[in-house]
Amino acid sequence: MKGLLLRLSALDPDAATAVRVIAHYEALLAGGAVDPPALVRSTAGLAECPAGLESADGRTVRFGPDGITLPGGPARVSGSADLGAAGRVWLERPGGPGPLDELVLEWMALAARMADGAPVRTTAPHVADPALVELVLSVREAVADRARALRLLGLAPELPLRVVALAGGGGADAGVQAVALIGRGTGWGTVRLAALGQLGVALIQRRGGGASPAGELRAVVGERAREQSGTGGPASGVRVGVGGAVDPLDAEASWGQARLALRFAVAGDPVEAVVDHDALGPVALLGAIPAGALSAQPDLRALHGLAGRDGGPLVLAALAAFCRTGSLRQAATELHLHHSSVAARLAHVEDALGWRLRDPQDRFRAQLALYAMRLADPL
């Protein structure tokens, strides 16, 4: 840690300070919950300004940066964090909040909740300020501004970053969907969540190479779908696109990949609902074709006609499963159907479109038409 701080100090003093803030509280919490006076005194010394804590019963603890107790309530609050029923914490910095006060207050609040005895998951996903997330994802903003936003979000500048885009189903709020989905996973690493427009966004950093979270996402999508089976719950409409691992300052590239992958995703089967851009390979190049040109393609028009008939969506689901697995029995297993039912649906496709799906060329043609159908539809 000391070596990292020295290198960061030479490159960016604010980045070094952010690491010191995190290291300070991790060391403070290493032995478990810390009592409120010790927490406030420690924070005041770290922030170099008065700090305070008000507990649920109205009792107030305040310390100055010199470690001396301050009487009464705060004279001027420059920034605060609500602890809900447990009270609140704050800083009293003259002249307005400092550049890393949000990070200090976030960690102070976490420690205060532990001191209050409230259950805290230190590895839980964190709902972030959408403005900061949008700043990280914007290529139009200056590098210095994006770097500062990353620091304020508590993201490490030296670790690869992946962006995940999520579309909620059934009119559900995408940001809430993102929290619900990723909150069920384990071992995500550092996560920051926000809602941008109609999409939920997750910024994910994982040590050890930044492995894709697509597998874990499919598991939690499947879990929710099983829980809500037959209830019409929103899990049936969830779609997820996973971007590639990039340098944090190039997050916009991963964001673009995540949105493209989302266009390939189809709600329902977790395998189809979560698409990893890295796994698409050259298929991702289809995303460069204008939606109008895709819609005009004869195979795509034929698929749309098939989808509009009675039972059409079920027929297309069977076609997608067969194209993906190349096996009638594996497709039946994925769809929880008898293989004869899947065979009947595939025969319907062959009769309607003139394809022979056992022929690799026709099966490849069908898969491309399915991809085109997804890409031609709006998000």
Side-chain angles (χ1 to χ4, degrees):
M1 176 64 74
K2 184 177 180 181
L4 173 62
L5 287 174
L6 290 174
R7 292 194 298 273
L8 284 173
S9 296
L11 296 172
D12 188 338
D14 282 347
T17 305
V19 175
R20 287 193 184 96
V21 169
I22 296 170
H24 173 89
Y25 284 103
E26 286 182 341
L28 192 65
L29 296 172
V34 58
D35 67 275
L39 170 63
V40 177
R41 184 187 299 110
S42 173
T43 299
L46 175 70
E48 298 182 342
C49 71
L53 181 151
E54 183 180 15
S55 59
D57 58 9
R59 288 183 296 178
T60 297
V61 179
R62 295 175 64 224
F63 280 91
D66 54 4
I68 297 176
T69 302
L70 300 176
R76 183 185 183 281
V77 174
S78 59
S80 65
D82 189 15
L83 305 179
R88 66 171 182 145
V89 294
W90 66 84
L91 296 177
E92 305 172 37
R93 189 182 299 282
L100 294 177
D101 281 4
E102 289 184 36
L103 183 62
V104 171
L105 287 166
E106 177 184 332
W107 278 88
M108 185 183 182
L110 171 67
R113 293 189 188 100
M114 292 184 68
D116 187 65
V120 174
R121 291 174 57 195
T122 58
T123 58
H126 177 70
V127 180
D129 182 348
L132 288 177
V133 173
E134 193 167 12
L135 184 58
V136 168
L137 299 178
S138 175
V139 72
R140 297 187 301 272
E141 303 297 335
V143 171
D145 292 334
R146 281 180 275 149
R148 181 174 181 273
L150 285 165
R151 293 194 299 270
L152 291 175
L153 288 169
L155 296 170
E158 74 278 6
L159 293 179
L161 176 74
R162 284 182 186 269
V163 183
V164 174
L166 183 140
D173 181 85
V176 174
Q177 292 279 347
V179 173
L181 276 177
I182 297 186
R184 289 169 172 251
T186 58
W188 295 108
T190 301
V191 179
R192 297 295 181 261
L193 298 166
L196 296 184
Q198 298 300 311
L199 298 180
V201 182
L203 308 179
I204 300 179
Q205 283 189 326
R206 314 177 88 172
R207 296 190 179 276
S212 172
E216 293 98 321
L217 284 163
R218 291 190 182 101
V220 294
V221 168
E223 179 186 351
R224 290 194 71 196
R226 286 190 295 274
E227 290 175 356
Q228 298 180 350
S229 177
T231 67
S236 59
V238 170
R239 295 181 298 119
V240 182
V242 181
V246 298
D247 183 282
L249 291 176
D250 295 326
E252 189 273 339
S254 185
W255 174 226
Q257 293 172 354
R259 286 178 293 163
L260 175 58
L262 185 65
R263 294 175 61 195
F264 283 90
V266 178
D269 188 318
V271 177
E272 298 276 11
V274 179
V275 175
D276 186 346
H277 183 273
D278 289 349
L280 287 173
V283 171
L285 297 175
L286 292 174
I289 301 175
L294 292 172
S295 298
Q297 210 281 327
D299 284 352
L300 184 54
R301 292 202 304 268
L303 279 184
H304 272 299
L306 186 60
R309 301 178 187 176
D310 288 342
L314 299 177
V315 170
L316 289 187
L319 176 61
F322 181 70
C323 287
R324 185 172 61 252
T325 64
S327 163
L328 186 63
R329 292 189 178 276
Q330 287 184 37
T333 299
E334 283 195 4
L335 297 172
H336 306 290
L337 294 171
H338 193 273
H339 64 87
S340 61
S341 297
V342 175
R345 294 176 185 179
L346 295 180
H348 190 56
V349 174
E350 291 181 331
D351 291 342
L353 281 74
W355 294 337
R356 293 295 172 260
L357 295 173
R358 290 291 182 183
D359 184 323
Q361 183 66 29
D362 279 2
R363 190 163 65 251
F364 176 68
R365 180 177 175 180
Q367 181 68 79
L368 283 180
L370 286 169
Y371 284 144
M373 188 176 187
R374 299 171 189 180
L375 291 168
D377 290 337
L379 285 178

